[in-house]
Structures are given as structure tokens and as C-alpha cells.
Amino acid sequence: MTPSAKAKPTEVVDREAMADLVEAIAARQDKSAFAELFEYYAPRVKGYLLRLGAADASAEEIAQDVMLTVWRKAGTFDRTQASVSTWLFRIARNRRIDLLRRESRAPLDPEEPMLQPAAEPQPDDALSASEREVRVREAVLELPPEQAELLHMAFFDGKSHREIAEASGVALGTVKSRLRLAFVKLRRALGEDL
Amino acid sequence: MATHLLPSDLLYAYAAGHCAPAMRLLISTQMQLCDETARRVEELEALGGALLERVEPTAMSEGALETVLARLDASPAETSGSTAANDDDVEAFPAPLREAAREALKTASWRFAGPGIRTLTLPVDGHAKAELLRIQPGSGAPRHGHKGAEITLVVRGAFRDETGVYGAGDVSVASPDVEHRPIAEPGETCYALAVTDAPLAFTGALGWIQRAVQA
């Protein structure tokens, strides 16, 4: 899976700077701050929507709507609770549900093994929201590209194991074990028992 | 099988946006009542944020930024929803549920469903159904899942069923082959949100609820 020559190289975004930009919008309707956010996030939100199968025109329109929502709701962003990326992901996810009205109805596959039991409630010294953000992000950044792509397909696209195997040409068993591994890494990063 | 928390698979589906609307309503409401659920969902949303940073960017159309900038000025101020409230208890619900109940009460009212029991069907798109239950202390009625499990979130008060006692923020997952009979505990009126046909609401590599229910 080689990156296209036209795509920007993966930038490691400065999350503090992004949070400053959103706060600038909330505080004084700062349009140049908005333009910076737009430049980084709009193409990624569009990329996310295209993954979900939206046509180019819809993805474009929804991505613009999401950025408009960022402007309108900048006052609700709380940097102690989530990163801008997480906050924006929520907005994009909710818009996608509203506008694409996607509801999975694939037949249930008895081979799906990704069942997790309900987690034990975490002790009082559980991570703060910002620590959690940092750890999750590091864990995701460390994933090799093919594992990140698997997570994109499972988490973002909602593909079943079988669909992922077909789309990627990877054996079904390998898909399952790699996904399991990715989640194990995530749980470890969060300091949770497995 | 009883659990006071939802299995992770449901929370994955919610966090990723693959949930049926009825289940989304239940989980978003539970997040406001139960810190543990909020924490688990927020972890997954943090995953969504980190994955968003790794998505291959696709260039927006030319002039997209200017188009949006022009819309910023025209964009109306955020207004709070109309407060046509005709049910004081509903007003105290967590926001997602309050909005859905207000919407339902515009065209429907609480229906008699047995002594001490009323129900309000909530308008949700899609396959799964959402119903608000209002049960007076000591009252209760058998509920059957039809094609699948019924997942019930207690919003206020508490009920007891064959598997235990559930208070605000707890969920009871009832499998279709067991008669589920919640009886409201003494004290305040019990309000609960019941989502049915839940297993058909989920799919994907991140699992589905039916197994959890039959465990």
C-alpha cells in the first residue's frame, strides 16, 4: 500500500497548536485560525468519507459541512477532555450517520471472534482524558501501515473480517489475528488488563 | 445473561458510527449516566481521532475554503431547541433522550401497557426500536424480545428482574429465550429505555451482540 505521490506526507500534527486554533475561533471568530484547521482537517475528513463509499461530490459537501460545524461549535471544545482530532472525528462520525443513514445489515457471521467481555471498571487512578489521548495516539502512530489500514477498515469502514480479507487479499485468519493484535497493543498502551 | 455494563462490541459500534439509531440513543444516554461507559467510549473515540490523523488526505475542490468562509458569515447563531415541554419528568432526562422524548410527545402520548406501566415509542430510523418505559414502584410486566435481545437502560429509579437490580445508568441485556420481567423497586418512578431487535443493528469485524446475549 504505497502512498500516492500527490498525498502529503504524514504530518505529525501539533495537537496543542490545533487546540489553540479552535480556541481562537471560539474566543474571537478568528478566520485565519479556521483556515489553518481547514487546510489540515478538511482533506482528511474527505478521505474518511470517501473510504465509507461516499461519492466525491457527497464527500466534498459533507466535509465542508463538518468544517462549518467546527466553526459553529468551537465554543464547545474543551482541550482537557479530548484532542481536536477526537472532537472533530465525533463531528464527522455524527454527520456521516445523519447524512448517509448507513445501517449495517450484513448477515451475522458465526465466525466473528472479536468479542470482548465487558471490561472491569477501572480503578480510581485511571488515566485522565488527556493522558489517554496521548497514549492512544502514540499507539496508533506506531502501528505499521498495514495494521493501521486494517483498523481503518474495521473501525472506520465497518467492514467484516471477511470483507477486509477480500479487499486486502490477506488471509482471513491473518486479518483476525492482526486486528486482535492491534487492539491488544491499544489496551496495553492504556494500561488495561487483557 | 445479565450485565450492568454493555459489552465492548456495542461501544465499538457506537464510537465508530455503525450503530442503529435506537442503540445510539441508548448509548449516548448511558454515557451521561455512567462514567465508566463514558470513559470506554471516549477511549474509542480517541482511537477515531488518532486514525483520522492517519487517513490519506484527499484534496478538497478548488475554492472550497472560500465557499466555506462565505458560509461562516451566513451561518445562523446556535439556538437552543424549542422548549415545548409537556412532561416535567422528561425534562430531567439526559439530553439525547430528552430530545427524543420531546419529539415523541409532539405527536404521541404515554400509552397504557398494564397496571402501573406506560410506554412511549420513540421515533428512530432503522431496524431496531426504542421505547421508553415508565413503571410505578411494585409494577412490572413481562417483556419478550421478538427477533433478538432486548437491551434496557435504567434512566431513573431502579428495577429488579430475574438477574438482579438495576439502577440509573445500568443496562440489562435480556436474551430472547428468557422471559424478562422488570419490576420497579420501591421509591421513585422507574424510567427505562428499551431497545429491541438489537442483534440486527450490528455487524462488522468488531463483533456483534448475539453471542454476548447467549453466553
Side-chain angles (χ1 to χ4, degrees):
Chain A
M1 211 160 302
T2 49
S4 118
K6 294 178 199 159
K8 287 184 191 175
T10 308
E11 307 161 39
V12 179
V13 66
D14 178 344
R15 284 185 160 188
E16 296 307 315
M18 288 296 175
D20 292 342
L21 292 174
V22 177
E23 287 176 356
I25 296 173
R28 50 187 185 276
Q29 280 88 64
D30 187 332
K31 287 187 180 177
S32 68
F34 178 79
E36 271 194 69
L37 281 168
F38 190 97
E39 192 191 319
Y40 179 79
Y41 282 109
R44 284 165 176 80
V45 171
K46 184 171 178 179
Y48 165 68
L49 293 163
L50 287 170
R51 293 192 63 96
L52 305 180
D56 190 275
S58 299
E60 173 77 31
E61 186 193 326
I62 298 173
Q64 289 191 18
D65 269 352
V66 167
M67 295 313 297
L68 194 57
T69 304
V70 166
W71 173 267
R72 282 207 214 105
K73 303 253 185 187
T76 69
F77 173 71
D78 178 351
R79 75 197 295 158
T80 64
Q81 290 306 305
S83 67
V84 174
S85 296
T86 300
W87 178 74
L88 215 143
F89 165 73
R90 274 191 209 119
I91 295 172
R93 175 202 66 197
N94 292 340
R95 290 298 283 163
R96 158 217 176 167
I97 293 165
D98 293 341
L99 294 172
L100 297 180
R101 297 211 183 283
R102 182 167 185 257
E103 188 192 339
S104 303
R105 289 201 201 195
L108 301 168
D109 181 352
E111 294 300 308
E112 297 292 354
M114 278 303 290
L115 202 66
Q116 305 278 340
E120 289 300 311
Q122 292 301 303
D124 287 337
D125 59 347
L127 301 175
S128 70
S130 45
E131 280 166 356
R132 182 171 68 214
E133 283 276 5
V134 166
R135 292 198 192 186
V136 167
R137 186 198 191 204
E138 275 169 10
V140 169
L141 283 177
E142 277 165 20
L143 292 173
E146 62 279 353
Q147 277 195 24
E149 180 57 19
L150 279 187
L151 274 182
H152 280 138
M153 285 198 269
F155 191 77
F156 276 2
D157 309 349
K159 289 188 157 72
S160 69
H161 289 132
R162 206 163 296 278
E163 287 168 331
I164 294 174
E166 278 162 23
S168 62
V170 173
L172 184 60
T174 310
V175 168
K176 292 176 181 178
S177 56
R178 278 187 189 166
L179 264 178
R180 210 187 306 258
L181 194 64
F183 277 102
V184 161
K185 283 185 190 173
L186 214 63
R187 295 221 172 286
R188 242 187 228 133
L190 290 164
E192 285 174 12
D193 297 327
L194 305 170
Chain B
M1 173 191 143
T3 177
H4 292 67
L5 291 176
L6 288 169
S8 299
D9 305 71
L10 290 183
L11 303 187
Y12 289 149
Y14 173 82
H18 309 314
C19 243
M23 200 61 206
R24 258 199 297 143
L25 178 61
L26 187 147
I27 294 175
S28 62
T29 303
Q30 193 191 18
M31 283 174 73
Q32 305 229 352
L33 294 169
C34 174
D35 288 343
E36 184 61 21
T37 299
R39 183 192 68 77
R40 291 164 74 201
V41 171
E42 285 161 9
E43 272 176 12
L44 293 164
E45 290 175 335
L47 172 61
L51 288 175
L52 184 64
E53 288 174 11
R54 281 194 76 154
V55 158
E56 180 119 348
T58 303
M60 297 291 281
S61 67
E62 226 173 281
L65 175 59
E66 287 66 35
T67 305
V68 178
L69 283 171
R71 288 173 71 189
L72 298 187
D73 296 325
S75 130
E78 280 289 284
T79 52
S80 52
S82 79
T83 43
N86 44 11
D87 191 317
D88 287 339
D89 284 346
V90 163
E91 288 311 299
F93 289 163
L97 187 57
R98 181 175 65 228
E99 294 315 309
R102 276 181 183 166
E103 196 55 40
L105 287 168
K106 284 179 185 168
T107 54
S109 49
W110 291 92
R111 282 202 307 239
F112 178 80
I117 306 161
R118 290 192 179 262
T119 62
L120 181 69
T121 301
L122 299 176
V124 286
D125 292 327
H127 213 83
K129 308 224 179 322
E131 193 174 49
L132 253 182
L133 314 175
R134 183 165 84 191
I135 314 175
Q136 299 305 326
S139 299
R143 296 186 61 79
H144 304 280
H146 299 289
K147 290 174 189 168
E150 182 170 273
I151 298 180
T152 309
L153 166 70
V154 178
V155 178
R156 263 180 87 168
F159 68 63
R160 177 186 297 271
D161 71 13
E162 62 282 351
T163 58
V165 180
Y166 298 82
D170 290 340
V171 288
S172 167
V173 178
S175 61
D177 48 325
V178 172
E179 187 186 83
H180 172 58
R181 196 195 166 99
I183 304 211
E185 289 278 277
E188 59 180 322
T189 303
C190 177
Y191 284 91
L193 173 62
V195 171
T196 55
D197 285 354
L200 298 179
F202 308 100
T203 187
L206 300 178
W208 53 288
I209 183 63
Q210 188 70 29
R211 279 179 173 238
V213 167
Q214 288 173 351

